[in-house]
Amino acid sequence: MRELHDLKAEDLQVLRPEVVTALAQQMLARLREQDRHIEQRDERIERQAHEIRFKASRIEKLTFELARHKAWRFGAKTEAMSAEQRALFEETLTEDEASLLAQLQQARGENTAPPDATAKRKPRRQPLPDHLRRVEHHHEPEDTSCPTPDCGKPMQRVGEDISERLDIVPAEFFVHRHIYGKWACRCCERLVQQPAEPQIIDGGMPASGLLAHTLISRFVDHLPYYRQETINARSGVHTPRSTLAAWSGRAGAALEPLYEAHKRFVLAAAVLHADETPVAMLDPGAGKTKRAYVWGYARGAFDAVPGVIYDFCVGRGAQFPRAFLGDGGDDAPRERSWRGTLVRDEYKAYESVIDAVPDRIAAGCLAHARRKFDELLLDGATNAVAPEALKRIAAIYRVERELAQRAPDERLALRGSATRPLWEELHTWLAFERRHVPDGSATARAIDYSLRHWTALTRNLLDGNVPVDNNHLENLVRPWAMGRKAWLFAGSELAGKRAAVVMSLVQSAKLHGHEPWAYLSDVLARLPTHLNSHIDELLPHRWRAPEPTATAP
């Protein structure tokens, strides 16, 4: 049948009426079909326009959120946070920023997969450590014949591309089976057997690696015993918290001789840092906690062989650091009293510590003096003195950062030409400003702090081994601040002292680049048979990791 639009007027006159009717119905059906397609197309266009508007709105929102997160991260308000708050804040922003970037890429329809390996690009990450075990997965074509039509010849391997991905296997418990063979002489009726190897806990279940893991989890990762019990249970190992606590107690007691040797090493330094931080201690009689203190002592920030040691005390009085460093009394031998330059803040207890022995010299902390001016700007307060003081102190710090890697004599000489004029200008400016601020004001107190302790603050200008602040030790005391938020309080004075023993050795091991578990596991394995006269060989600065063996699990 011919189409209706192909017919001419004279053709229609000769057609029968039923044929014309059929052709007209066919045309009407086609028009209705076209109308339906047009409606579908309009709906599709409207839907696509709606999706475009939605995506544009979402992209705009995500872009704004990303910009706001970057402003938060690099904004000045983060300066008002503590170090722990800032770390948590930055971790949260990093998570949020990664999520926003991923959502933004999805909204834009961008490819989130890595670019072509052949494209030139900057490295995005550090190479994975060489000591990690590698599990190789080989990916080769199923058919190594040439896929070109009319060829099909065998191809030759000309190279490879290597992609590395980091993975982890959760902590694995395993069992050491010590099998002691029995040998008997039937003639002499004598039995010979190798003696059992001494252990920290004779006849106990834990090996040195498990003891070290328990101590590291408690005092480095700050996991309470009840959480360790739950984690171990996921591997099917039942270790009640009371058992874990008992293991830590035995291991801590075994480490005490090493702690005493480490104390002698730290106190052999001519420049020593000192600081203290509060820790809650359980008071069973009162049914609540009371405040105790951890005193930290570290070898000088410029010392070639670093070390830190902690002393857990029930108070903050001067008698505690005097007892630890030696007070030079008639009952204390001269060689047992530390002598040198003590870098500390201006807490009054340190005055008694310095005065106890004639050969002790006080060195101040510029960071504490700076904080006095920084506090003047909190809550958006306006202050004319604080910004200028912070600017002058920052100039001193800029020079000190450049001198950090110099030898002591060279550092001292450069301080004389580079930082001494800055110190003198700061002193002159502070004295001038003090005459123009009212007594008793916050600004007056900030200025008086620096002027009153000027001799100690500028001690670094007389000794190249003395740093300008006490930040070195404040960073080493920070693990206690992190830990007390996790385990809340020390159960007793003895528990606090045991924590000080473990933390002293572990933190010092970290200063020397040792992996904490590797160090502590090896030390606990060697201590039962190690001569006490050679205990110094196990100190963190002298310890060397044992060579791996092929039979190690």
Side-chain angles (χ1 to χ4, degrees):
M1 181 180 293
R2 297 178 62 184
E3 296 292 343
L4 185 61
H5 59 76
D6 293 335
L7 299 176
K8 298 178 181 180
E10 54 271 18
D11 295 331
L12 293 175
Q13 295 177 356
V14 300
L15 291 177
R16 295 192 304 273
E18 60 270 18
V19 174
V20 174
T21 302
L23 290 174
Q25 292 177 348
Q26 181 184 24
M27 181 61 69
L28 290 174
R30 179 167 297 178
L31 290 174
R32 285 194 295 269
E33 182 69 17
Q34 289 178 352
D35 290 341
R36 188 173 63 83
H37 284 300
I38 291 173
E39 289 177 0
Q40 292 178 347
R41 184 191 62 186
D42 292 341
E43 291 177 357
R44 185 167 60 253
I45 292 174
E46 179 63 26
R47 186 169 58 253
Q48 291 174 347
H50 177 74
E51 291 177 355
I52 291 173
R53 290 193 298 270
F54 175 78
K55 286 185 177 180
S57 175
R58 180 167 176 77
I59 289 172
E60 181 181 3
K61 179 181 177 181
L62 292 172
T63 303
F64 171 76
E65 289 289 339
L66 189 59
R68 186 169 64 171
H69 274 69
K70 290 182 178 179
W72 283 343
R73 167 171 289 183
F74 302 108
K77 290 186 177 180
T78 59
E79 295 298 324
M81 298 180 180
S82 66
E84 291 80 8
Q85 290 172 328
R86 189 179 301 112
L88 181 61
F89 178 75
E90 291 177 351
E91 290 171 0
T92 303
L93 284 185
T94 300
E95 295 175 357
D96 292 347
E97 185 177 338
S99 175
L100 288 171
L101 283 173
Q103 294 179 55
L104 191 58
Q105 288 178 332
Q106 293 175 359
R108 290 174 174 171
E110 297 176 356
N111 183 16
T112 58
D116 187 0
T118 59
K120 185 177 180 180
R121 67 188 184 204
K122 296 181 180 179
R124 295 185 178 180
R125 67 187 184 195
Q126 295 293 329
L128 298 176
D130 293 335
H131 70 273
L132 297 181
R133 177 171 59 96
R134 259 67 175 176
V135 178
E136 294 187 352
H137 304 269
H138 293 274
H139 306 272
E140 304 290 350
E142 294 182 0
D143 186 2
T144 57
S145 299
C146 180
T148 304
D150 302 328
C151 181
K153 295 181 179 179
M155 295 185 293
Q156 295 181 348
R157 200 173 190 272
V158 294
E160 60 186 14
D161 290 327
I162 299 177
S163 173
E164 292 192 337
R165 297 182 179 180
L166 190 62
D167 204 350
I168 185 173
V169 176
E172 176 192 7
F173 288 89
F174 65 96
V175 179
H176 290 284
R177 297 189 69 200
H178 297 271
I179 303 172
Y180 299 92
K182 296 181 178 180
W183 298 80
C185 177
R186 298 188 182 278
C187 298
C188 304
E189 297 183 356
R190 184 174 180 178
L191 181 67
V192 177
Q193 188 177 28
Q194 189 72 10
E197 295 182 355
Q199 302 290 328
I200 293 293
I201 303 179
D202 286 330
M205 178 175 64
S208 61
L210 181 54
L211 289 177
H213 176 74
T214 303
L215 293 176
I216 295 298
S217 299
R218 170 70 170 176
F219 299 112
V220 177
D221 300 328
H222 312 297
L223 292 176
Y225 292 130
Y226 76 89
R227 292 182 63 189
Q228 294 188 48
E229 177 184 0
T230 303
I231 293 172
N232 295 347
R234 291 203 296 263
S235 297
V237 177
H238 179 55
T239 52
R241 66 192 70 177
S242 58
T243 300
L244 295 172
W247 292 351
S248 294
R250 296 286 294 274
L255 291 170
E256 286 185 5
L258 190 59
Y259 171 83
E260 293 297 328
H262 185 59
K263 175 182 176 181
R264 293 191 295 269
F265 162 71
V266 172
L267 297 188
V271 176
L272 196 68
H273 294 258
D275 196 12
E276 79 287 340
T277 187
V279 174
M281 183 180 70
L282 187 63
D283 186 4
K288 56 183 181 180
T289 61
K290 61 182 180 180
R291 177 168 289 191
Y293 284 86
V294 172
W295 294 76
Y297 307 89
R299 293 170 68 95
F302 299 125
D303 202 307
V305 187
V308 62
I309 193 163
Y310 307 104
D311 185 29
F312 185 89
C313 303
V314 294
R316 200 189 180 197
Q319 68 270 26
F320 299 108
R322 287 183 60 172
F324 192 85
L325 300 177
D327 57 9
D330 296 335
D331 297 335
R334 178 180 175 84
E335 61 273 10
R336 293 187 181 178
S337 297
W338 174 82
R339 286 166 168 77
T341 301
L342 188 67
V343 184
R344 80 288 177 269
D345 57 32
E346 299 302 331
Y347 174 47
K348 289 187 177 298
Y350 292 115
E351 295 180 6
S352 176
V353 176
I354 296 296
D355 296 339
V357 177
D359 297 334
R360 288 178 183 169
I361 303 171
C365 177
L366 182 58
H368 277 76
R370 182 191 180 281
R371 288 171 196 163
K372 301 297 181 181
F373 295 103
D374 196 38
E375 290 170 358
L376 298 177
L377 300 178
L378 293 179
D379 300 326
T382 58
N383 187 286
V385 174
E388 181 64 21
L390 295 175
K391 179 180 177 181
R392 292 175 179 269
I393 293 173
I396 296 175
Y397 269 110
R398 278 195 296 270
V399 179
E400 283 296 326
R401 282 193 291 269
E402 296 176 359
L403 302 181
Q405 303 302 322
R406 306 282 183 142
D409 294 340
E410 185 181 7
R411 186 183 303 115
L412 181 61
L414 292 173
R415 279 174 174 171
S417 60
T419 59
R420 182 179 290 276
L422 298 176
W423 282 101
E424 293 173 350
E425 293 173 5
L426 177 61
H427 185 272
T428 302
W429 178 79
L430 288 174
F432 173 80
E433 292 292 339
R434 181 62 182 88
R435 294 194 294 269
H436 295 81
V437 297
D439 294 340
S441 64
T443 303
R445 290 194 297 271
I447 295 176
D448 288 342
Y449 181 91
S450 296
L451 293 178
R452 189 167 56 248
H453 307 296
W454 193 256
T455 301
L457 285 174
T458 56
R459 179 63 192 172
N460 62 91
L461 298 177
L462 303 178
D463 189 344
N465 287 308
V466 176
V468 296
D469 57 33
N470 202 25
N471 288 348
H472 174 60
L473 180 55
E474 288 188 3
N475 292 331
L476 294 174
V477 172
R478 189 169 297 161
W480 287 92
M482 297 172 60
R484 67 189 175 212
K485 294 179 180 179
W487 32 260
L488 302 181
F489 55 82
S492 65
E493 181 180 358
L494 185 60
K497 290 186 176 297
R498 183 167 55 252
V501 169
V502 178
M503 293 277 279
S504 298
L505 297 172
V506 168
Q507 294 300 325
S508 295
K510 292 171 67 175
L511 286 176
H512 290 275
H514 303 321
E515 200 281 317
W517 179 86
Y519 169 74
L520 210 55
S521 175
D522 182 63
V523 166
L524 290 172
R526 294 166 61 180
L527 269 177
T529 58
H530 201 80
L531 294 177
N532 201 38
S533 58
H534 295 169
I535 195 73
D536 289 359
E537 296 175 357
L538 301 181
L539 291 176
H541 68 283
R542 298 187 63 182
W543 179 81
R544 295 293 179 270
E547 294 293 333
T549 59
T551 58

